Amino acid sequence: MTIYAAARPDGRRQVKYRLVAGLVLVSAASLLFEIALTRVYAIAQGHHFAFVAIAMALLGIGAAGTLTATSRRVSAASPTTAIGWAGTLFALTAVGAYVTADRIPLDTYRIGADASQLAWLALFFIVAAVPFTCAGVAVVAALRHSPTSAGATYGASLAGSAAGAALALPLLAQVGSAATILLAAALALVAPVIVAPRLPAIGASLLAVALFGTAIVIAPAGPSVSVHSQLAQALQRPDARRLDTELSANSRVDILENAGFRTATGLSLNYAGSVPRPRLGLTVDGGNAAALDVPLSEALDHVPLAHAVGLRPAASAMLLDPFGAFDAGVLLRSAIDRIDLVQPDAALRKAWRFAGHNTVLNDSNIRVLSHGVRSALRTAAGYDLVIWPLRESFQGVAAGTFGLRETYALTREALANGFRALAPDGRLIVTRWLQATPSESVRMWASLLDALRLSGVDDPSAHVLAWRSLEVVTMVASPTPFTAAERQALSDGLERDGFDWVFHVKLLQSDSNRFNRLPDTSLYQAFQAVVRGDPVPEVWAPVTDDRPYFFHYFDWTQWREVLSTTGRTWQPFGGAGFLVLVPLAAAATGAAVLTMVAPLVGRRRGGAARVGLRRLVYVAAVGVAFTTTQIALLQRLILVLDAPTVAFATGIAAMLAWAGLGSLSSRWWRPTPDSAAGLAAMSVFILGGLLLAAPETLGAPLAVRVGVGVLAASPSLALGAVMPSAIRALAGDRAAISWAWAVNGTASVAAAFAAAILIVSIGFAWTLLGAALAYAVAVPLWRSRDPRQTSPR
């Protein structure tokens, strides 16, 4: 590797390995910090804000190219100096970013009403991006010093990033997001010690003491939760207190006492008995509150779920991923002998054990399975009941950002798997919230009927029933049609409790709105339209594994109406929340462009001009393609691996490891930029095919599915050769390399938001096709031969 030619001959190899080790450490720390930051944002601002960490990482890394192109001091620094300073500054700014971001008074709910929040949002972006700029400088400096060895340098950076992603899972599960950020900072501090061993020992010691002193102060508390979260609201009760906090790679579970959580969802208004008050409850990531110590009282006989359970005799049930004890309590009250409770989240399982004998979740009739919902359904068979509980707290459909969460447990494919898990007379039971404008209940109904058709039932009308209380809609489906006697017995029970029919095959409109009176019969009409197969709004269409966004109700044709009514009236389809993505994307992309445009008007813009417009578009296109492919890969792996954080860490680690290997191998086969982009385009097609086939492994052990996910990412091998080929082609002009890196990073920032919007709007398959086309577009933008060499600058 010629990058280290300045070293003395007898120490050249030692210096080479030190620099590679330093680059790997800084890159690993950067990815570890990025993944931990997504968890911090998920807790502090909501899950919809977590992807901002990805965009800010790309923004900071792209800004490193601009910094090295415009700063004489940075551009003249040797790789040893650059990596040493990058590691030190990354450690300090990463800790500073966490401390500052956790204390910035940013309230994303008030952005539309309070202009000052835009300033706080900008500061939020800046403090998150700076650590990644420090890490990016280390990579760009090494690439500028020896562009002919770009494959080895870029490969080492990708390999380090993959290692950081792999470290994230165990660290998040064991020590939490705050401590993981501090460990990432400590990992980066090792880089200058290795690369520059002459660093004064006293300085390194003082820095370590300061860093770990900070750790003692902030790590135990963890990130602050949003003031709008259910956890924050519950703790405002005078007698409420937090008993414990359990962590996993996927969630933070807080166990509360005297928080006032409800125990009987949908309880009949006709019930005159007592409802015991629960003492223990929990929240997941600050939201989705649920009671733990639900007593097996008479009140549980008068909830909608109890009528579904008692419709036919049942001895076994599978309960899918509940948070609290309500649904299990109803099953035990109904004398179900065998209950398999599917709960993949280790933090929730630990919270249930913490509650001990105070909760029915530890009853001897209940067996807790640690599988994910989709894996459990794939291998299940012979159950009398398969139940989808009401996990999520009530979400007004105007909270459209909630719709950015994947919900593979509520797709038609998941429901079809549920039907296959039933005995012939078994029942599939789903409960959803009742909203003023029919939305999630109708979408669930459409998905349920579509799943029945996928299971071979041509006319599902006699196989389904639905009724409602004032709060919830309960839907039941069976492979065996319901008889008139069963419908009559159920009608008697519903009338006793004052529940209204929503659908049965003989239901009249006049009988659908008797007890819990709604302003009209639109819910009845919507359910009837779905059964008949009438054209319905797109927002009521069945949810599929290709677009698993159950809570996304926005249609782009509504944007004018949404904007005109924002803040002034109820928005039935949640457009305002989803449209938050657009200004966020504009702000992040604008910030990325400014890091380039402002310097371009200065004296050191010549490097960009020498790259040429076509080649700048080339590096932008491959940046868009790589980022879009990565986001699509992560979204699909959530289905295969059952958990977002596991999928995130596994997907990033696998993709970057394969890309790093491809980058290292490009040292020998030396593809031209156009041939590398063409091969990458074909590889994205192959990757898409592998990801579409990967869910066939659902039900296999997690280790097997992780292996399949890693293999599915293997076409990323070709993606890792694209940027090194471009950098080698610019070997004669160091400033041009910096500008190419900056443009690539800017395009990647825009792509991170665009890919999120596209996957929600048009699905996984079309978005991945767009990534392949972006690589294909890049092919003719670069001549097959290298550019005319110029003297280094």
Side-chain angles (χ1 to χ4, degrees):
M1 294 173 63
T2 58
I3 185 172
Y4 313 108
R8 292 180 300 172
D10 58 346
R12 186 177 304 166
R13 185 173 298 275
Q14 184 181 13
V15 172
K16 176 184 72 172
Y17 289 137
R18 283 178 177 171
L19 288 174
V20 168
L23 192 59
V24 167
L25 286 168
V26 171
S27 299
S30 176
L31 241 295
L32 185 59
F33 174 64
E34 178 184 343
I35 294 176
L37 208 57
T38 63
R39 289 292 307 140
V40 170
Y41 289 170
I43 294 170
Q45 297 293 339
H47 283 273
H48 59 277
F49 212 73
F51 68 91
V52 170
I54 301 173
M56 292 305 98
L58 295 169
L59 171 62
I61 291 170
T66 305
L67 182 62
T68 55
T70 56
S71 169
R72 286 186 173 88
R73 175 174 246 174
V74 175
S75 63
S78 67
T80 300
T81 302
I83 294 174
W85 275 108
T88 303
L89 293 176
F90 174 88
L92 294 175
T93 55
V95 174
Y98 171 76
V99 174
T100 305
D102 201 39
R103 287 155 179 79
I104 289 176
L106 174 65
D107 186 347
T108 55
Y109 287 79
R110 294 170 54 205
I111 287 177
D114 183 358
S116 67
Q117 291 299 317
L118 294 175
W120 291 120
L121 180 64
L123 180 60
F124 202 90
F125 282 175
I126 291 170
V127 299
V130 169
F132 298 105
T133 300
C134 298
V137 165
V139 183
V140 179
L143 290 172
R144 283 170 56 99
H145 193 273
S146 183
T148 56
S149 298
T153 303
Y154 193 62
S157 175
L158 291 173
S161 298
L167 281 172
L169 280 180
L171 288 177
L172 287 172
Q174 294 299 319
V175 299
S177 53
T180 299
I181 287 175
L182 293 162
L183 289 172
L187 188 64
L189 275 181
V190 180
V193 175
I194 291 177
V195 173
R198 296 177 183 175
L199 184 72
I202 187 170
S205 300
L206 289 175
L207 194 57
V209 169
L211 185 63
F212 288 101
T214 306
I216 293 172
V217 174
I218 71 172
S224 302
V225 298
S226 168
V227 295
H228 303 286
S229 68
Q230 289 177 290
L231 173 60
Q233 298 298 319
L235 289 176
Q236 290 183 9
R237 294 175 63 92
D239 55 344
R241 65 189 183 103
R242 182 168 19 209
L243 300 179
D244 193 25
T245 298
E246 301 290 354
L247 300 173
S248 71
N250 298 300
S251 66
R252 161 182 158 173
V253 177
D254 291 280
I255 305 169
L256 308 177
E257 184 179 44
N258 299 324
F261 296 147
R262 303 176 60 186
T263 59
T265 303
L267 180 65
S268 168
L269 297 179
N270 293 346
Y271 176 65
S274 64
V275 182
R277 179 184 176 184
R279 184 179 65 88
L280 298 177
L282 58 78
T283 61
V284 181
D285 285 346
N288 292 326
L292 283 176
D293 54 337
V294 175
L296 300 182
S297 67
E298 184 186 359
L300 297 183
D301 298 334
H302 299 274
V303 297
L305 177 60
H307 292 277
V309 173
L311 182 58
R312 288 174 179 167
S316 62
M318 173 177 277
L319 184 58
L320 301 172
D321 196 11
F323 287 156
F326 165 69
D327 303 272
V330 173
L331 292 173
L332 289 171
R333 175 79 182 176
S334 302
I336 304 299
D337 296 330
R338 180 170 64 88
I339 304 170
D340 284 346
L341 195 157
V342 176
Q343 183 45 257
D345 194 331
L348 276 166
R349 297 197 301 270
K350 287 187 285 186
W352 295 346
R353 288 194 294 270
F354 177 89
H357 65 276
N358 293 312
T359 171
V360 298
L361 294 169
N362 293 305
D363 189 275
S364 59
N365 286 348
I366 292 179
R367 180 178 63 163
V368 177
L369 307 178
S370 59
H371 310 304
V373 169
R374 295 298 295 271
S375 290
L377 289 174
R378 178 61 68 92
T379 57
Y383 285 94
D384 297 315
L385 301 170
V386 175
I387 302 173
W388 272 257
L390 189 58
R391 300 173 68 250
E392 299 81 11
S393 299
F394 180 84
Q395 297 286 334
V397 289
T401 48
F402 187 75
L404 299 179
R405 301 184 64 178
E406 299 91 350
T407 48
Y408 282 109
L410 297 177
T411 65
R412 65 181 182 186
E413 290 86 354
L415 294 166
N417 287 341
F419 283 117
R420 287 192 288 272
L422 291 173
D425 288 335
R427 280 148 292 153
L428 189 153
I429 304 172
V430 185
T431 301
R432 298 308 316 166
W433 291 109
L434 175 63
Q435 293 163 321
T437 300
S439 51
E440 69 174 71
S441 59
V442 183
R443 172 168 279 181
M444 190 75 256
W445 184 247
S447 300
L448 188 62
L449 267 65
D450 219 30
L452 265 173
R453 295 185 181 103
L454 287 177
S455 302
V457 178
D458 295 329
D459 181 9
S461 59
H463 295 255
V464 289
L465 303 168
W467 58 92
R468 64 175 176 85
S469 68
L470 190 62
E471 298 177 307
V472 298
V473 180
T474 298
M475 292 157 269
V476 181
S478 174
T480 303
F482 294 105
T483 66
E486 288 172 334
R487 292 198 306 271
Q488 184 58 54
L490 180 57
S491 290
D492 295 341
L494 296 181
E495 184 156 357
R496 180 198 68 197
D497 279 332
F499 294 145
D500 289 286
W501 276 108
V502 179
F503 179 86
H504 65 71
V505 71
K506 301 294 185 179
L507 182 64
L508 299 177
Q509 183 170 336
S510 58
D511 294 331
S512 67
N513 196 20
R514 297 172 55 203
F515 304 111
N516 302 286
R517 297 297 296 270
L518 299 178
D520 54 41
T521 58
S522 58
L523 186 65
Y524 165 86
Q525 294 169 8
F527 272 54
Q528 291 283 348
V530 171
V531 173
R532 291 192 304 265
D534 295 348
V536 295
E538 176 63 25
V539 294
W540 291 346
V543 182
T544 68
D545 282 350
D546 189 61
R547 292 177 62 190
Y549 298 94
F550 181 85
F551 299 97
H552 175 66
Y553 305 111
F554 175 67
D555 187 320
W556 284 101
T557 62
Q558 302 166 343
W559 71 272
R560 290 181 185 275
E561 178 186 357
V562 166
L563 291 180
S564 67
T565 58
T566 296
R568 294 190 288 123
T569 187
W570 177 257
Q571 296 177 8
F573 296 112
F578 179 70
L579 284 179
V580 167
L581 275 178
V582 178
L584 281 177
T589 305
V593 171
L594 282 175
T595 64
M596 294 174 47
V597 174
L600 278 172
V601 300
R603 292 178 298 173
R604 299 185 65 81
R605 62 183 182 274
R610 289 190 295 274
V611 177
L613 179 60
R614 286 165 58 92
R615 296 182 178 185
L616 288 177
V617 176
Y618 172 96
V619 294
V622 299
V624 167
F626 188 91
T627 302
T628 303
T629 302
Q630 185 178 68
I631 291 177
L633 169 72
L634 299 180
Q635 189 257 11
R636 191 66 176 181
L637 284 183
I638 293 174
L639 168 60
V640 179
L641 301 180
D642 286 320
T645 306
V646 174
F648 190 87
T650 301
I652 286 185
M655 185 173 180
L656 295 182
W658 285 113
L661 186 60
S663 179
L664 289 169
S665 67
S666 69
R667 295 174 58 196
W668 296 284
W669 61 289
R670 298 273 175 152
T672 57
D674 55 338
S675 63
L679 183 59
M682 291 186 289
S683 297
V684 172
F685 277 109
I686 297 171
L687 184 145
L690 293 174
L691 288 174
L692 288 172
E696 294 301 317
T697 61
L698 282 169
L702 179 61
V704 173
R705 286 180 283 127
V706 168
V708 168
V710 171
L711 289 175
S714 60
S716 304
L717 192 76
L719 278 55
V722 179
M723 273 302 287
S725 68
I727 292 169
R728 279 194 300 268
L730 297 171
D733 196 328
R734 294 176 182 172
I737 292 172
S738 294
W739 284 117
W741 184 272
V743 171
N744 180 270
T746 300
S748 297
V749 173
F753 287 94
I757 293 172
L758 285 174
I759 288 179
V760 174
S761 301
I762 63 175
F764 157 80
W766 286 105
T767 301
L768 202 57
L769 176 62
L773 291 177
Y775 274 123
V777 166
V779 173
L781 293 174
W782 201 299
R783 294 191 306 269
S784 58
R785 63 185 179 84
D786 285 349
R788 178 170 54 85
Q789 300 294 303
T790 59
S791 58
R793 302 170 186 231

